[in-house]
């Protein structure tokens, strides 16, 4: 292992000399306080090290010791429900050790608790042939998640020994595999280098929607399990709230929330609310399925760079167990800025806006770790990693390098619009700019499971919104009164779509989560309103009169926050009232 | 700095540039080590090591390098980091960011030496802000509520009355049901002398000076002093909040001066510039300042932070307000056109936001209708502003009746709800009642953001009737 001495300290960059055996991306300990760092360049016997902690007080001559291994994380029971920093150090335990509200540097605490015992149930028996990814046994880690203990990649052979059902620590050997005569012990915990994607059998096309309970996301720009999405928006447009909605309500088995260079209080918010909030799909506390990785903006910048890879590695680990995993990262712009900061200190040649030239390949590598896969091992299982990331473009300019590069590698685009946010239209997803390339893939699911007319109604809403945009340009020139009646109706229907369907209050107990059935019911009401009103307009009734007489409209708008997901029969009343009021209107008009 | 070393002296200066001095032959200077530079005439200045290499050390001098010569100057490496003595004695006093008194009073004697760079708060110990602070200002309390432990900046423009607003908030801010006032730590960063006098006078007049500490650097001081100002102010705030159990309101004015000082120092270090010439690490640097706010589980005190910045050319997309908005928990934005209309405080509510407001308002905290009224006012005012734009093109007469009501609402909202006196302290009930009053201009069917029950309870048309 490499052993050298500090030659230079410049912020998070330390240069060490005498590092003959150093490897690229090897983890090293720097200086007397043994700060964690990673080798990012080697010149002769000089190693350039990005240090994950504050380097104040480090001076030339202090020792630098290599570990011989790349940056790796511990995977095993004990991850769920915990808050970690960007290197997966447990922040809750750090608090106990430091006895201080502040994070002291140089702290070394393992990710997984070494003392805690987990109840292991073996699933295969002595003498069985095992290959990588086989389920050795299970641990019921939380009420919600059965943690499956897998044979690590690269281990195969004959099972020489396996423990009986009982309580074990993560470092206890639970099995011994005879691998060509070598005895390889297997523990519940395994390690994996974060920058290397975990292996799988094959990658498949996504087929199922990843339902989020957010109407505009599910119906207009649907996400698929194993898909990729970017949420760019200027500050105050609601990126974080949208990501929090995703992490709370989406139909994923596991959620990894990576706070990458964002606010401390936001992580506290999740940590505080998740134990109380119930997963709408299972009724269990959300924290049971969540891992929080927090590298807030004021924590060291190099660890921020690593936190993204840590998050996606955790996701892949649970995917390999056969689960659908959602990783949300807030925000990848802060990660890109960390790349720029470190690149600048290494005196690399900058490309666009000072970002390093490898920015786009790094972004591509990250999103390519998403996908639905057939996992290694037996029994056969499918799992997926869905990646949804916020992007924070400077000044809200979507042409800047991080946003424009990200757009090339994601298949769902949920752009947030500050003018919608200012009018408190949330989620402020711009329906004209957004896109999803999964609409066709998930249509079948909606048609089969929710409503046979789903696609027709959805496309009607999209068409109406597009038409509204054209009409608005005309209104800006000639005023609303000179429009034809049927165009006035389009404006009215578009208003209804926005108020009753697209707008959704993430902080309202009822409105925050809309079941797919409820989404379809609201959509159907609007669709019917349009049918009835078009008929009335064709019979010469002015739109103004329709607006005055159809008094059920405010009730339709409020229904998202008054009708619960389990009392959708109340929509029948609204349907009836709507029809009755139109019948009345036609009768009065003598049409 | 943990490891303490001996004092080492060198005199081989090879280069002086901007605030930087390069010293040769130094074998073991620590990164961020405190340095004393002694000139031949006996004058002493302080600095820190910003780049430490074997044999070379680059020192950044706080008070600037004017008058320093490579010949005859001694550089002493002090073997410790930059620490300032912090104490509750600093309340009622004025200091520079190095802890030297600026008010002819004595040095701080009893106190604790602290590294002013601070350490990151562990997210696991943070306590989420949820206590509503009543500032007495409707546009803030009603629509962009400030909570205890929040960081909420004011985005101002040149000549707009941000300092008057900040002073009014500092004077009026209370948490309902509690007697104690906030202790105020003012970090005045590179301010003009008249601004410094304004704050001093304001607090002397209102009798607040004994709960206010002023950490100040002036506009004509070297850039390093400006970058140290908020750090020292927040170190004091952390001490008062987490050691002395005080609720602290930290006001930093003007962060634009801070960022410009940061850029000047970065340029002299020949770093690769980012957007607008500001250093690429400015986001992280600002975050290390702004994140020094909040509440901690098990501690009685708290830090509520209100940084104030000037948007160059009123441009909210300029890197300084832009990066700030990405870090802080919302922003209060001042608007020149409202100011020109004679409206004080000229708060543009649509451009303003309090991210945490949702957790501190509503039933049991302020009033049950608060969230709904706030949503409705936002939606209606946004529509009013939109309609104004339309009316400007096609003429008011071509508008529909409903749209005309929106125009009336928009004016009433600005003149009655937003506008108020410099000494007017409205409680939250008054604020919400004014909100209902202006909303009642609109037809009732437009009020779809409020629950029907609240309309029956608070709408002037029903109020008092059974």
């Amino acid at each position: 292992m490499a052993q050298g001495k500090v030659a230079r300290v410049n912020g998070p960059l330390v240069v060490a000399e005498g590092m003959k055996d150093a490897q690229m991306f090897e983890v090293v300990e720097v200086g007397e306080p043994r700060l964690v760092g990673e080798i990012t360049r080697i010149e002769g016997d000089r190693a350039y090290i990005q240090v994950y902690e504050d380097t104040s007080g480090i001076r030339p001559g202090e020792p630098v010791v290599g570990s011989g291994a790349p940056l790796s994380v511990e995977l095993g029971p004990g991850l769920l429900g915990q808050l970690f920093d960007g290197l997966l150090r447990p922040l809750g335990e750090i608090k106990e050790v430091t006895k201080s509200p502040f994070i002291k540097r140089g702290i070394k605490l393992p990710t997984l608790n070494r003392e805690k015992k987990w109840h292991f149930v073996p699933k295969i028996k002595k003498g069985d042939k095992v290959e990588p990814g086989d389920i050795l046994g299970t641990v019921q880690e939380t009420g919600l998640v059965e943690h499956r203990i897998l044979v690590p990649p690269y281990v195969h052979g004959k099972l020489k020994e396996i423990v009986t059902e009982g309580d074990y620590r993560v470092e206890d050997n639970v099995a011994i595999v005879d691998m060509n005569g070598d005895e390889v012990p297997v523990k519940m915990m395994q390690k994996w280098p974060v920058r290397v994607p975990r292996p799988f059998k094959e990658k498949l096309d996504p087929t199922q929607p990843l339902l989020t309970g957010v109407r505009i996301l599910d119906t207009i720009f649907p996400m698929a399990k194993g898909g990729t999405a970017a949420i760019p928006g200027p500050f105050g447009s609601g990126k974080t709230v949208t990501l929090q909605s995703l992490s709370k309500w989406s139909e994923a088995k596991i959620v990894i929330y990576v706070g990458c260079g964002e606010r401390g209080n936001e992580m506290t918010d999740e940590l505080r609310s998740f134990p109380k909030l119930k997963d709408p799909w299972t009724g269990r506390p959300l924290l049971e399925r969540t891992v929080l990785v927090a590298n807030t903006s004021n924590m060291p910048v190099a660890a921020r760079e690593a936190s993204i890879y840590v998050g996606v590695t955790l996701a892949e680990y649970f995917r390999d167990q056969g689960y659908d995993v959602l990783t949300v990262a807030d925000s990848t712009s802060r990660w890109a800025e960390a790349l720029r900061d470190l690149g600048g200190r290494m005196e690399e040649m900058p490309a666009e806006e000072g970002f390093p030239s490898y920015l786009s390949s790094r972004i591509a590598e990250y999103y390519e770790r998403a996908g639905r896969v057939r996992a290694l091992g037996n029994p056969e299982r499918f799992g997926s990693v869905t990646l949804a990331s916020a992007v924070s473009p400077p000044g809200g300019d979507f042409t800047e390098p991080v946003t424009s590069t990200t757009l090339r590698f994601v298949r769902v685009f949920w752009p947030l619009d500050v003018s919608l946010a200012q009018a408190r239209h949330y989620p402020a997803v711009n329906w004209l700019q957004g896109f999803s390339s999964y609409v066709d893939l998930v249509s079948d699911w909606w048609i089969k499971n929710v409503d046979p007319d789903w696609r027709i109604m959805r496309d009607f809403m999209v068409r109406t919104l597009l038409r509204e945009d054209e009409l608005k340009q005309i209104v800006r020139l000639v005023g609303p009164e000179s429009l034809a009646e049927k165009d006035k109706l389009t404006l009215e229907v578009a208003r209804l779509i926005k108020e009753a369907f697209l707008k959704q209050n993430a902080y309202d107990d009822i409105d925050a989560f809309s079941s797919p059935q409820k989404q379809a019911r609201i959509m159907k009401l609007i669709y019917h309103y349009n049918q009835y009103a078009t008929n009335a307009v064709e019979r010469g009734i002015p739109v103004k009169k329709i607006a005055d007489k159809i008094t059920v409209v405010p009730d339709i708008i409020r229904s998202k926050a008054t009708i619960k997901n389990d009392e959708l029969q109340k929509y029948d009343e609204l349907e009836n009232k709507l029809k009755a009021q139109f019948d009345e209107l036609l009768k009065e008009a003598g049409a | 700095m943990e490891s303490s070393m001996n004092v080492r002296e060198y005199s081989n200066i090879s280069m002086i540039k901007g605030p930087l001095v390069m010293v040769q032959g130094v074998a073991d200077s620590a990164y961020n080590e405190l340095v004393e530079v002694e000139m031949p005439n006996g004058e002493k200045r302080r600095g820190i090591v910003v780049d430490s290499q074997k044999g070379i050390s680059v020192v950044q001098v706080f008070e600037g390098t004017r008058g320093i010569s490579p010949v005859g100057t001694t550089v002493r490496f002090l073997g410790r980091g930059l620490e300032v003595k912090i104490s509750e004695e600093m309340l009622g006093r004025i200091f520079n960011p190095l802890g030297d008194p600026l008010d002819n009073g004595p040095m701080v004697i009893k106190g604790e030496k602290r590294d002013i760079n601070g350490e990151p708060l562990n997210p696991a110990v943070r306590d989420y802000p949820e206590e509503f602070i009543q500032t007495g200002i409707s546009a803030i309390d009603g629509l962009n509520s400030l909570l205890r432990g929040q960081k909420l900046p004011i985005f101002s423009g040149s000549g707009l009355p941000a300092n008057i607003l900040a002073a009014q908030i500092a004077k009026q801010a209370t948490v309902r049901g509690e007697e104690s006032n906030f202790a105020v730590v003012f970090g005045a960063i590179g301010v003009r002398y008249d601004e410094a006098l304004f704050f001093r006078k304001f607090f002397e007049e209102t009798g607040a000076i004994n709960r206010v500490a002023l950490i100040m650097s002036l506009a004509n001081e070297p850039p390093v002093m400006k970058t140290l100002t908020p750090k020292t102010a927040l170190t004091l705030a952390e001490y008062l909040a987490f050691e002395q159990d005080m609720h602290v309101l930290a006001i930093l004015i003007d962060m634009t001066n801070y960022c410009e000082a940061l850029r000047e120092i970065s340029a002299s270090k020949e770093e690769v510039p980012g957007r607008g010439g500001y250093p690429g690490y400015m986001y992280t640097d600002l975050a290390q300042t702004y994140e020094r706010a909040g509440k901690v589980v098990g501690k009685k005190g708290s830090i509520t932070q209100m940084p104030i910045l000037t948007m160059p050319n009123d441009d909210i997309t300029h890197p300084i307000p832009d990066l700030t908005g990405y870090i802080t928990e919302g922003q209060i934005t001042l608007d020149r056109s409202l100011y020109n209309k004679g409206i004080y405080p000229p708060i543009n509510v649509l451009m303003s936001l309090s991210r945490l407001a949702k957790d501190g308002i509503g039933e049991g905290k302020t009033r049950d209708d608060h969230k709904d009224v706030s949503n409705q006012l936002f939606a209606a005012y946004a529509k009013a502003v939109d309609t104004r734009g339309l009316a400007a093109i096609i003429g008011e007469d071509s508008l529909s009746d409903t749209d005309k009501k929106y125009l009336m609402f928009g004016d009433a909202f600005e003149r009655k709800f937003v506008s108020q006196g410099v000494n007017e302290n409205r409680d939250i009930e008054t604020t919400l009642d004014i909100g209902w009053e202006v909303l009642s201009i609109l037809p009732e069917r437009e009020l779809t953001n409020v629950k029907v029950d609240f309309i029956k309870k608070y709408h002037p048309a029903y109020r008092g009737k059974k």
Side-chain angles (χ1 to χ4, degrees):
Chain A
M1 258 175 278
Q3 213 158 356
K5 284 190 165 26
V6 172
R8 179 181 184 186
V9 190
N10 177 3
L13 177 72
V14 166
V15 182
E17 52 187 20
M19 302 284 290
K20 265 199 222 69
D21 307 320
Q23 305 162 17
M24 272 301 266
F25 296 111
E26 180 180 348
V27 169
V28 295
E29 290 183 347
V30 175
E32 308 291 354
R34 300 172 52 164
L35 308 177
V36 182
E38 199 180 1
I39 295 176
T40 55
R41 184 193 291 177
I42 300 172
E43 284 175 6
D45 73 341
R46 287 166 78 87
Y48 288 65
I49 301 158
Q50 69 181 50
V51 179
Y52 293 128
E53 295 168 279
D54 179 23
T55 52
S56 290
I58 303 292
R59 57 201 157 99
E62 288 190 45
V64 176
V65 183
S67 69
L71 183 64
S72 304
V73 288
E74 296 177 2
L75 303 167
L79 291 169
L80 293 167
Q82 300 297 313
L83 174 67
F84 299 100
D85 77 354
L87 300 177
L88 229 56
R89 287 178 291 203
L91 286 169
E93 286 178 35
I94 286 180
K95 171 184 74 176
E96 303 304 323
V97 173
T98 58
K99 306 267 183 249
S100 155
F102 299 102
I103 298 175
K104 309 281 176 192
R105 59 187 189 153
I107 283 185
K108 305 250 175 337
L109 277 179
T111 301
L112 301 175
N113 189 315
R114 293 294 190 265
E115 296 311 313
K116 184 157 184 184
K117 287 192 167 178
W118 300 94
H119 192 75
F120 176 81
V121 182
K123 292 289 170 188
I124 48 177
K125 52 185 193 307
K126 198 170 154 178
D128 285 354
K129 244 185 104 211
V130 291
E131 52 180 273
D134 281 0
I135 297 177
L136 276 177
T138 59
V139 167
Q140 193 67 41
E141 186 176 347
T142 66
L144 204 54
V145 179
E146 177 192 82
H147 198 117
R148 295 167 178 165
I149 309 298
L150 308 178
V151 176
Y154 313 123
V155 175
H156 55 85
K158 208 165 170 190
L159 198 60
K160 190 157 185 261
E161 259 174 60
I162 184 157
V163 294
T164 51
E165 178 173 345
D167 296 340
Y168 301 94
R169 287 180 286 252
V170 288
E171 280 189 314
D172 293 340
N173 291 341
V174 290
I176 292 174
V177 176
D178 178 352
M179 192 166 154
N180 306 328
D182 287 344
E183 290 192 357
V184 183
V186 178
K187 305 173 182 3
M188 282 196 272
M189 178 187 96
Q190 50 176 283
K191 284 193 175 186
W192 190 261
V194 297
R195 295 183 198 276
V196 181
R198 286 175 63 89
F200 47 83
K201 270 194 193 132
E202 61 172 329
K203 221 168 219 184
L204 307 158
D205 229 3
T207 51
Q208 279 202 331
L210 181 84
L211 296 169
T212 65
V214 181
R215 289 184 293 271
I216 187 167
L217 306 189
D218 287 350
T219 300
I220 310 290
F221 305 120
M223 181 64 168
K225 285 176 181 162
T228 49
I231 311 177
F235 66 83
S237 57
K239 285 184 299 298
T240 300
V241 178
T242 309
L243 286 181
Q244 286 182 341
S245 288
L246 285 179
S247 65
K248 283 174 189 165
W249 313 127
S250 36
E251 192 203 5
K253 182 79 176 176
I254 307 281
V255 174
I256 317 283
Y257 195 103
V258 185
C260 173
E262 288 289 312
R263 303 174 183 88
N265 271 335
E266 283 167 2
M267 301 311 292
T268 313
D269 190 13
E270 306 254 306
L271 202 59
R272 169 193 75 126
S273 60
F274 275 29
K276 286 180 253 165
L277 289 171
K278 298 263 181 289
D279 176 11
W281 309 94
T282 57
R284 301 285 310 177
L286 282 174
L287 203 60
E288 291 190 354
R289 64 162 198 188
T290 310
V291 185
L292 297 167
V293 179
N295 202 85
T296 55
S297 53
N298 54 339
M299 285 155 80
V301 63
R304 192 195 297 166
E305 193 269 329
S307 65
I308 286 276
Y309 299 103
V310 167
V312 75
T313 303
L314 292 179
E316 287 174 344
Y317 173 67
F318 285 106
R319 172 202 71 189
D320 293 346
Q321 296 176 34
Y323 295 132
D324 293 314
V325 188
L326 170 69
T327 300
V328 296
D330 188 9
S331 128
T332 49
S333 292
R334 305 299 163 223
W335 166 67
E337 281 164 14
L339 287 180
R340 176 170 67 185
D341 188 3
L342 296 164
R345 288 184 198 267
M346 302 257 294
E347 288 162 12
E348 291 169 347
M349 177 73 78
E352 216 179 336
E353 301 238 8
F355 286 104
S357 53
Y358 45 80
L359 176 71
S360 78
S361 57
R362 292 282 168 88
I363 290 178
E365 276 167 28
Y366 172 66
Y367 284 106
E368 280 306 301
R369 289 177 77 168
R372 196 169 76 92
V373 306
R374 194 145 68 88
L376 292 180
N378 295 305
E380 181 176 70
R381 19 181 222 282
F382 297 90
S384 66
V385 172
T386 308
L387 294 177
S389 317
V391 182
S392 318
D397 172 14
F398 288 0
T399 64
E400 61 90 35
V402 182
T403 315
S404 57
T405 310
T406 301
L407 267 183
R408 296 194 350 248
F409 301 109
V410 297
R411 292 183 68 189
V412 175
F413 181 48
W414 292 322
L416 301 181
D417 188 320
V418 78
S419 62
L420 287 173
Q422 284 173 359
R424 272 29 177 195
H425 178 118
Y426 291 119
V429 178
N430 184 314
W431 49 84
L432 299 171
Q433 282 181 353
F435 63 74
S436 162
S437 55
Y438 299 120
V439 181
D440 294 331
L441 283 174
V442 305
S443 275
D444 289 345
W445 184 90
W446 280 92
I447 289 167
K448 213 180 293 165
N449 294 288
V450 182
D451 192 317
D453 294 331
W454 182 80
R455 188 61 191 266
I456 298 165
M457 297 190 297
R458 176 208 173 260
D459 289 353
F460 148 75
M461 292 211 300
V462 172
R463 223 172 30 244
T464 307
L465 292 168
L466 288 175
R467 178 70 184 144
E468 185 216 18
D469 186 53
E470 294 167 9
L471 290 173
K472 270 185 151 173
Q473 322 255 358
I474 301 173
V475 169
R476 251 170 242 136
L477 295 174
V478 297
E481 294 306 313
S482 35
L483 287 184
E485 284 298 314
K486 75 170 183 21
D487 290 338
K488 282 187 196 164
L489 178 62
T490 303
L491 292 185
E492 184 63 19
V493 175
R495 183 180 88 94
L496 195 55
I497 294 173
K498 286 185 276 185
E499 295 290 325
F501 191 87
L502 299 182
K503 248 191 187 182
Q504 189 168 357
N505 186 346
Y507 300 117
D508 185 280
D509 290 341
I510 298 175
D511 197 19
F513 172 78
S514 248
S515 70
Q517 287 74 16
K518 180 172 169 183
Q519 300 188 24
R521 289 306 301 256
I522 302 178
M523 189 156 66
K524 187 153 249 172
L525 266 175
I526 300 169
Y527 188 68
H528 284 158
Y529 175 90
N530 180 60
Q531 280 184 337
Y532 300 148
T534 306
N535 178 32
V537 166
E538 277 166 5
R539 291 170 188 236
I541 300 173
V543 173
K544 189 167 184 326
K545 186 148 189 206
I546 298 176
D548 285 344
K549 292 287 174 185
I550 308 301
T551 54
V552 70
V553 167
D555 294 336
I556 295 178
I557 292 174
R558 288 197 187 96
S559 76
K560 58 193 178 181
T562 53
I563 299 181
K564 294 186 180 140
N565 289 313
D566 56 5
E567 45 182 40
L568 297 181
Q569 70 282 2
K570 287 193 179 167
Y571 274 103
D572 296 341
E573 278 171 47
L574 287 177
E575 285 277 2
N576 293 339
K577 229 172 168 179
L578 182 69
K579 184 155 193 320
Q581 289 186 353
F582 267 108
D583 287 345
E584 181 73 14
L585 178 69
L586 289 180
K587 217 192 303 168
E588 257 178 51
Chain B
M1 192 161 304
E2 290 136 26
S3 52
S4 67
M5 287 168 271
N6 296 329
V7 175
R8 289 97 66 216
E9 239 182 56
Y10 297 90
S11 53
N12 194 352
I13 294 176
S14 63
M15 192 190 75
I16 305 173
K17 193 170 91 181
L20 305 180
V21 172
M22 197 183 271
V23 190
Q24 296 283 343
V26 190
D28 61 349
S29 68
Y31 184 69
N32 274 346
E33 184 174 352
L34 189 64
V35 173
E36 189 177 72
V37 180
E38 187 172 342
M39 292 157 66
N41 62 4
E43 186 191 335
K44 284 178 185 168
R45 292 187 192 170
R46 275 163 290 185
I48 49 165
V49 176
V50 293
D51 189 352
S52 171
Q53 302 177 38
K54 234 166 72 180
I56 303 170
S57 186
V58 181
V59 174
Q60 176 175 309
V61 182
F62 298 152
E63 294 95 336
T65 48
R66 179 172 304 178
I68 296 181
S69 158
V71 184
T73 302
T74 311
V75 182
R76 234 167 258 125
F77 292 80
L78 301 179
R80 57 188 165 90
L82 175 60
E83 289 169 329
V84 174
K85 203 181 242 181
I86 295 294
S87 153
E88 64 267 39
E89 288 171 26
M90 294 172 98
L91 285 170
R93 303 272 316 268
I94 305 176
F95 294 88
N96 81 0
L98 299 174
D100 305 326
L102 293 179
D103 54 1
N104 303 321
M107 291 288 287
V108 172
I109 298 166
K110 199 172 108 258
E112 198 180 304
K113 278 197 162 180
R114 288 202 164 194
D115 177 353
I116 63 166
N117 287 305
E119 289 168 313
L121 255 184
N122 185 340
V125 305
R126 277 184 183 270
D127 198 1
Y128 200 74
E130 35 196 21
E131 295 126 329
F132 171 78
I133 296 176
Q134 183 173 291
T135 65
I137 293 161
S138 292
I140 296 176
D141 292 355
L143 300 177
N144 298 291
S145 317
L146 174 67
L147 306 190
R148 190 145 75 186
Q150 186 173 9
K151 40 186 185 292
L152 189 66
I154 297 176
F155 287 7
S156 181
S158 317
L160 296 182
N163 48 4
I164 298 177
L165 180 61
Q168 188 179 3
I169 293 169
K171 191 176 64 158
Q172 295 181 172
T174 50
V175 167
R176 310 221 312 161
E178 286 181 22
E179 286 296 309
S180 65
N181 274 318
F182 285 88
V184 180
V185 174
F186 245 101
I189 308 155
V191 291
R192 297 191 311 266
Y193 204 74
D194 62 295
E195 289 174 310
L197 282 178
F198 166 83
F199 284 117
R200 224 171 148 164
K201 205 161 139 242
F202 183 89
F203 288 111
E204 276 168 7
E205 278 170 5
T206 54
I209 190 85
N210 284 329
R211 57 180 179 94
V212 179
L214 191 55
I215 308 292
M216 189 163 71
S217 56
L218 290 173
N220 56 2
E221 286 187 78
V224 185
M225 292 296 268
K226 295 175 194 166
T227 61
L228 295 178
T229 309
K231 296 185 202 299
T232 301
L234 291 168
T235 305
L236 175 60
E238 282 171 350
Y239 175 79
L240 295 176
F242 303 135
E243 305 295 330
Q244 302 294 325
D245 294 340
M246 292 185 195
H247 291 295
V248 181
L249 180 63
I251 297 179
L252 306 173
I253 188 167
D254 176 326
M255 287 304 287
T256 302
N257 296 341
Y258 174 83
C259 293
E260 285 186 340
L262 204 63
R263 175 168 68 177
E264 195 177 331
I265 295 165
S266 167
S268 65
K269 286 199 257 182
E270 294 180 353
E271 291 170 339
V272 181
R275 223 168 120 230
Y278 294 94
Y281 53 76
M282 193 160 85
Y283 174 82
T284 303
D285 190 282
L286 283 173
Q288 282 164 352
T289 303
Y290 296 141
E291 281 283 338
R292 294 173 80 174
K295 296 199 305 178
V296 168
V297 176
K299 300 272 182 187
K300 288 194 191 116
S302 66
I303 302 173
T304 308
Q305 204 189 97
M306 249 194 168
I308 295 166
L309 58 86
T310 305
M311 297 181 281
N313 302 315
D314 293 351
D315 176 11
I316 199 169
T317 67
H318 183 280
I320 297 170
D322 192 51
L323 294 178
T324 299
Y326 275 123
I327 303 162
T328 52
E329 287 146 351
Q331 71 281 341
I332 302 294
T333 309
L334 303 189
D335 182 295
R336 196 168 300 279
S337 67
L338 284 176
Y339 178 67
N340 291 341
K341 276 188 198 174
I343 288 169
Y344 172 87
I347 295 175
N348 182 332
V349 298
L350 296 182
M351 306 275 279
S352 303
L353 172 73
S354 165
R355 291 168 188 272
L356 305 185
K358 58 178 169 66
D359 295 299
I361 64 173
E363 198 166 0
K365 290 174 172 164
T366 52
R367 202 168 84 180
D368 51 0
D369 59 330
H370 192 157
K371 284 182 191 175
D372 282 19
V373 171
S374 160
N375 280 336
Q376 187 66 66
L377 284 169
F378 270 120
Y381 184 58
K383 170 107 197 234
V385 169
D386 233 24
T387 311
R388 255 183 216 164
L390 187 61
I393 299 168
I394 61 169
E396 229 175 274
D397 294 338
S398 325
L399 293 178
S400 70
D401 291 343
T402 311
D403 283 351
K404 284 179 194 154
K405 294 273 195 220
Y406 270 103
L407 285 187
M408 284 169 61
F409 163 80
D411 286 336
F413 175 78
E414 287 170 4
R415 304 225 166 263
K416 288 187 179 161
F417 187 87
V418 176
S419 178
Q420 68 184 82
V422 179
N423 292 313
E424 188 181 350
N425 191 352
R426 292 182 187 161
D427 62 23
I428 184 65
E429 285 79 11
T430 310
T431 291
L432 293 175
D433 289 346
I434 299 173
W436 278 105
E437 190 191 324
V438 294
L439 281 175
S440 70
I441 294 171
L442 297 172
E444 209 179 297
R445 67 180 154 84
E446 294 292 316
L447 306 182
T448 52
N449 288 310
V450 278
K451 293 195 181 68
V452 180
D453 296 352
F454 292 142
I455 294 184
K456 296 278 181 280
K457 196 166 162 191
Y458 296 108
H459 194 290
Y462 302 98
R463 241 192 148 157
K465 292 174 196 166
K466 282 277 163 187

